[in-house]
Amino acid sequence: MQLKDLLERLSPAELADLLAEYGLELQENADATAVAGLLASYQILGRAFFELDVFQLLILKWLVRQPGYEAPWSKLIDEIGDRVSPEYVVEELHDLRRWGLVDYRASDQRGFVTTFAEVASILPGRAIALADFLPTRSSEELRAMCSAIGFPKPPSLKDERLRAIVRALSDPAYCTALAGNLATPARALFDWIRARAGQVTLAELQRYPGGGAVAGDLAWGGYAAYYTSFYTTRNRKSEPLANLLQLGLVVPIVQIGGWYAIGFAVPEEVRVALEGGSLFDTDALLPPKLEPAEGARGELPNLTTLLRDVGHLLGFVGAGRCEWRQDGEPYARSLQALGKALRNPDKAYPALLWSLCVSAGLLERSRRAGEQFIPIDVVEASPPALFDRLIDGWASTAPPATQNPDMVGIIILRRLQALQLLGNLPPDTWVTKDSVEQYLHFQRPLLFPAPGPKSSGVTSAIEWPALRRLILAEGETPNGTAAVLVPEATQRLLADPATDQLDGLLPWEDTWVVQPDRSVIVPPNIHPQALLDLWGAAELEENQGASIFRLSGTSIAAALNRGIPADDLKQLLAKRSRTPIPATVERLIDDQGQRYGRIRLGPAQTYVRTDDPALLDELEHSRKLGALQLVRLAPDVAIIDGVAPSLALETLRKAGYLPVLDRGAKPVGGNGPVPGSPAFVRRLSNFFMQLMSQGEHASVMWSTGQQSRHAIVEPLDVWEGQLYARDANTGKNLTISLEMIADAVVADEVEAAR
């Protein structure tokens, strides 16, 4: 039966509902053949397999083994027996029909169950079967196999030989007798393969006594030659592996399109025959019970702490503390430095915080020179809204380091399904972690593989570290059994993301206490925007519940160098302070503010001017400024040959000085917004528009990655953050991002200064 046969029997409303499951719409005049052609691909129809449970996949695997992919209803019910009720079978089949994977009629009279060729061709997880493997063998090889398994007179036709072999090895009594008559070495190898879930790789075979030679043969000689030699070389029949292959008790696993065996497996027909005679005996048909974890104890996820640390990360990035790799991602050492500042012993925690903030859109890519990410405003977000944003961002985004593009969709679907399934667990109830893993596997086996031995070293598909921070608690029973719990409040949020209240999540506070010892005491539920502001002026010292920041000369200097004037720093601290700003703090800010700007840089060549000749002497002899060759012009003026003011400014700041661009050079920014900031870009845009109306040129300094450039340009246009100009010296057209411009001055004024 074909998929279009089912589609032809559906009403327009039923067909529209089926397509809606796949996110598709019914087109006008679309017939069943056209819709079947649209669905019949792994990219479309294959989506449904990730929504199926173990029992539903078993039904499909059973159906594809039936003649014409169809069986009487009574045969399916007899095969399942009393393992589950017929009513439950109907429920599972109804779900499969909703996806267009089966059709059925639940009736003893003329009842049937069927799947379709399109489904059979892409059904995942199909076990290796004789029915798939044997048709590729020659008629002579099948004759030899018939003789090996005990047929005194093998059938004359290839198809008949194939059916006879499958029928014999599918019979429990015949297959059991065949396996029981194996020679001791072959029986030991057969039992060894079965004990490894019925499959072994070549590497595993090499570790089996005597298996290394066989694995080497296959690696160098090729599977095809090795298999054919079973019937051409008599002495091979004494080998245990060759004996199993001749009898059909084991078949080789061949890479698609290849000639080499990559492993060996017990075929599905043999496995079912030896394990009870029914495919439905090979796995659970009902969801496993969640086992209570009596006496379990553990810490509930502290959502207030999570949101507090999100604010710390945003402040860490916003204050320029993060160092960036060439690919734009943060260095691991930067995230480790943040982890130390947060006082969190979990070394993976900062990276998890980073991924949560990026996926939630709390950090955005920046084109500003030297900064790869910038934090966004979160002023309006309530605690539940921000927490839901973190969950939603995590669930709908795959990790940036995902190497295989095909895995991106699977990871996202796995995360969404994990949230949905865990949201259905008994609320506020400890259950064993093992039973939860088994429950997730049964419900979505293609997303969550069966849990293996704890010592296997295989990474679980369930992302427990992230889930522990977001929605569930982990703990242990008195006897050491791992347990998990989902709080009822979190389940309510998952069910209703628009909720304004969430138990265990404190409302925001936006005030702190500034103390005379220059510390700032911040409550644990401080608004992330407040932390973002405070990181720009102070350094985090403690982070246990309440956070303690420290104001210092270094932190104030960093704020001044980031373009925050001293008066604005006072206002920032006073705006959120519960008490008046202590005099010790005001003096610290004033002292640094008076130092700020004593060194001034301008765009002439680059010149340096100070109001204290002794300070210029210090600059000339500083080892930290070896890259800047200062040429003294006067007691208080020097020039730096071949270095743009923006680069000289950065070098002096890194050496611990507090320089500014000289107001006398009339830069666009002056002591106002920082280059690259939105305010600075707006002023640049207005400046160039004015020059275009007056027909004047500009002297522009900008950054191109690691280099600084300077040119006299004729502005032609300003559009979407770009300056389009003509180089006055070379006549070449230039396109310069306004965010990359450090300074721009009217060219006539520069010429006059020279």
Side-chain angles (χ1 to χ4, degrees):
M1 184 176 288
Q2 302 296 315
L3 179 58
K4 71 180 181 62
D5 298 324
L6 167 64
L7 301 179
E8 287 173 345
R9 292 196 294 273
L10 300 179
S11 68
E14 290 174 326
L15 184 58
D17 289 343
L18 189 153
L19 291 176
E21 296 289 348
Y22 293 96
L24 304 172
E25 293 183 2
L26 182 62
Q27 302 297 319
E28 261 186 69
N29 303 321
D31 60 12
T33 302
V35 176
L38 174 65
L39 291 177
S41 70
Y42 188 78
Q43 288 73 18
I44 302 296
L45 196 64
R47 296 177 193 172
F49 298 129
F50 295 100
E51 302 284 341
L52 305 184
D53 62 33
V54 167
F55 184 28
Q56 290 165 338
L57 283 173
L58 283 176
I59 291 174
L60 290 176
K61 291 177 183 178
W62 183 82
L63 282 173
V64 299
R65 295 298 172 207
Q66 306 308 308
Y69 310 126
E70 184 172 338
W73 172 257
S74 57
K75 182 177 181 181
L76 174 64
I77 295 302
D78 289 344
E79 188 80 13
I80 293 174
D82 59 359
R83 299 176 183 86
V84 295
S85 68
E87 292 77 16
Y88 179 67
V89 176
V90 171
E91 289 178 11
E92 296 286 83
L93 288 171
H94 179 75
D95 200 36
L96 289 170
R97 191 175 190 272
R98 180 171 59 88
W99 288 98
L101 300 177
V102 304
D103 196 9
Y104 71 98
R105 182 186 298 123
S107 169
D108 291 337
Q109 305 297 323
R110 302 178 62 186
F112 70 92
V113 183
T114 184
T115 189
F116 315 107
E118 296 88 342
V119 176
S121 66
I122 60 173
L123 179 63
R126 289 179 61 174
I128 295 172
L130 291 170
D132 295 325
F133 169 72
L134 293 180
T136 64
R137 310 314 313 155
S138 70
S139 180
E140 177 58 25
E141 289 170 339
L142 294 179
R143 186 202 62 76
M145 182 177 286
C146 286
S147 298
I149 64 176
F151 292 172
K153 187 177 180 181
S156 57
L157 298 178
K158 178 179 177 179
D159 287 347
E160 292 177 354
R161 291 171 181 173
L162 190 153
R163 284 193 293 270
I165 294 170
V166 173
R167 185 169 56 250
L169 293 177
S170 299
D171 180 80
Y174 195 99
C175 193
T176 301
L178 197 65
N181 291 330
L182 288 171
T184 300
R187 181 58 188 259
L189 177 60
F190 185 53
D191 291 342
W192 180 76
I193 295 174
R194 290 182 66 195
R196 282 153 180 77
Q199 290 191 13
V200 294
T201 64
L202 278 184
E204 290 174 316
L205 183 61
Q206 285 178 323
R207 293 192 289 270
Y208 184 78
V214 174
D217 256 359
L218 288 167
W220 292 103
Y223 148 71
Y226 186 83
Y227 194 95
T228 303
S229 70
F230 296 158
Y231 312 104
T232 58
T233 307
R234 289 183 177 276
N235 60 9
R236 297 219 83 143
K237 295 183 179 180
S238 62
E239 295 178 3
L241 181 59
N243 191 200
L244 296 176
L245 288 164
Q246 288 171 336
L247 295 172
L249 296 176
V250 167
V251 295
I253 306 171
V254 183
Q255 202 164 20
I256 296 175
W259 288 92
Y260 298 95
I262 59 175
F264 296 90
V266 177
E268 182 181 9
E269 294 88 347
V270 173
R271 184 167 61 89
V272 171
L274 294 178
E275 293 176 3
S278 172
L279 178 66
F280 296 105
D281 282 326
T282 61
D283 216 326
L285 306 190
L286 290 169
K289 292 183 178 180
L290 295 169
E291 299 177 8
E294 300 293 342
R297 291 188 177 183
E299 292 187 9
L300 294 176
N302 191 323
L303 306 185
T304 296
T305 295
L306 176 66
L307 297 189
R308 178 202 65 192
D309 291 347
V310 163
H312 282 314
L313 175 60
L314 298 180
F316 179 77
V317 175
R321 305 285 181 87
C322 198
E323 298 179 355
W324 310 102
R325 303 187 317 226
Q326 289 185 348
D327 62 0
E329 295 297 316
Y331 276 112
R333 62 173 178 265
S334 277
L335 295 181
Q336 290 168 2
L338 173 65
K340 290 180 180 178
L342 298 180
R343 303 294 194 272
N344 192 300
D346 184 357
K347 293 183 179 179
Y349 183 54
L352 175 61
L353 273 181
W354 174 266
S355 66
L356 288 175
C357 288
V358 172
S359 61
L362 302 178
L363 290 168
E364 293 182 344
R365 288 278 183 180
S366 170
R367 292 188 303 165
R368 186 182 303 173
E371 293 182 325
Q372 275 60 43
F373 282 86
I374 55 174
I376 68 160
D377 253 347
V378 289
V379 175
E380 301 300 326
S382 67
L386 184 57
F387 178 58
D388 179 63
R389 185 169 180 172
L390 292 174
I391 292 178
D392 186 61
W394 174 79
S396 58
T397 309
T402 304
Q403 299 293 326
N404 185 356
D406 295 335
M407 283 298 297
V408 171
I410 293 177
I411 291 173
I412 293 174
L413 185 57
R414 181 185 291 157
R415 291 178 171 185
L416 290 169
Q417 292 286 352
L419 291 178
Q420 178 184 339
L421 295 170
L422 292 172
N424 293 328
L425 294 184
D428 292 333
T429 303
W430 287 102
V431 291
T432 65
K433 192 173 181 180
D434 283 345
S435 69
V436 172
E437 289 180 337
Q438 293 165 7
Y439 170 78
L440 292 177
H441 166 67
F442 178 86
Q443 297 292 356
R444 299 293 183 266
L446 296 187
L447 295 175
F448 305 106
K454 298 303 180 184
S455 61
S456 64
V458 178
T459 303
S460 173
I462 307 170
E463 298 178 70
W464 292 115
L467 292 169
R468 182 175 69 247
R469 298 292 180 184
L470 290 170
I471 70 166
L472 56 81
E474 284 191 303
E476 283 189 354
T477 63
N479 64 359
T481 301
V484 296
L485 173 148
V486 180
E488 182 181 4
T490 306
Q491 288 185 324
R492 290 203 306 270
L493 178 68
L494 294 175
D496 180 17
T499 182
D500 289 329
Q501 294 183 345
L502 187 61
D503 297 345
L505 190 55
L506 300 175
W508 295 134
E509 288 193 39
D510 60 359
T511 59
W512 50 56
V513 177
V514 183
Q515 302 199 124
D517 64 353
R518 301 174 180 174
S519 64
V520 183
I521 312 300
V522 181
N525 56 327
I526 190 72
H527 197 295
Q529 193 66 43
L531 286 177
L532 182 57
D533 294 339
L534 188 55
W535 266 89
E539 297 174 347
L540 181 64
E541 284 193 342
E542 295 291 337
N543 193 47
Q544 301 298 325
S547 300
I548 300 177
F549 284 79
R550 179 75 58 186
L551 294 159
S552 66
T554 301
S555 69
I556 299 301
L560 294 171
N561 280 334
R562 290 187 64 80
I564 306 176
D567 289 342
D568 288 358
L569 281 174
K570 293 180 185 178
Q571 292 177 11
L572 182 150
L573 294 171
K575 179 178 67 173
R576 300 182 186 273
S577 181
R578 300 176 189 173
T579 58
I581 301 300
T584 51
V585 173
E586 289 194 340
R587 282 198 300 271
L588 173 67
I589 297 174
D590 289 339
D591 289 346
Q592 291 296 84
Q594 291 172 4
R595 290 182 58 212
Y596 184 72
R598 291 178 64 192
I599 302 172
R600 294 179 291 279
L601 284 74
Q605 202 168 11
T606 292
Y607 69 80
V608 181
R609 184 160 59 88
T610 76
D611 54 5
D612 183 356
L615 183 55
L616 198 55
D617 290 338
E618 181 182 335
L619 297 182
E620 282 188 291
H621 295 91
S622 173
R623 293 184 178 180
K624 296 181 180 179
L625 302 177
L628 303 181
Q629 301 297 321
L630 276 71
V631 179
R632 199 72 167 260
L633 299 181
D636 61 343
V637 179
I639 63 170
I640 304 173
D641 194 23
V643 177
S646 59
L647 186 57
L649 186 78
E650 187 66 21
T651 303
L652 285 165
R653 286 178 172 177
K654 286 183 177 179
Y657 296 98
L658 299 170
V660 296
L661 289 173
D662 194 354
R663 290 187 182 184
K666 297 183 180 178
V668 173
N671 281 342
V674 178
S677 67
F680 188 83
V681 168
R682 286 194 297 270
R683 294 182 65 175
L684 278 175
S685 180
N686 294 335
F687 172 73
F688 289 124
M689 294 293 288
Q690 181 180 358
L691 290 190
M692 284 189 289
S693 67
Q694 298 171 351
E696 293 185 289
H697 288 57
S699 173
V700 181
M701 292 178 293
W702 74 98
S703 170
T704 58
Q706 301 297 323
Q707 296 181 340
S708 294
R709 293 187 58 188
H710 171 265
I712 306 296
V713 303
E714 176 190 358
L716 302 176
D717 194 9
V718 177
W719 180 254
E720 293 187 347
Q722 303 283 340
L723 168 65
Y724 298 89
R726 182 181 294 111
D727 191 315
N729 294 322
T730 65
K732 294 182 178 180
N733 290 331
L734 301 173
T735 301
I736 307 170
S737 169
L738 297 181
E739 289 187 345
M740 299 302 182
I741 295 177
D743 190 29
V745 184
V746 178
D748 290 343
E749 295 176 352
V750 175
E751 297 297 333
R754 290 179 177 175

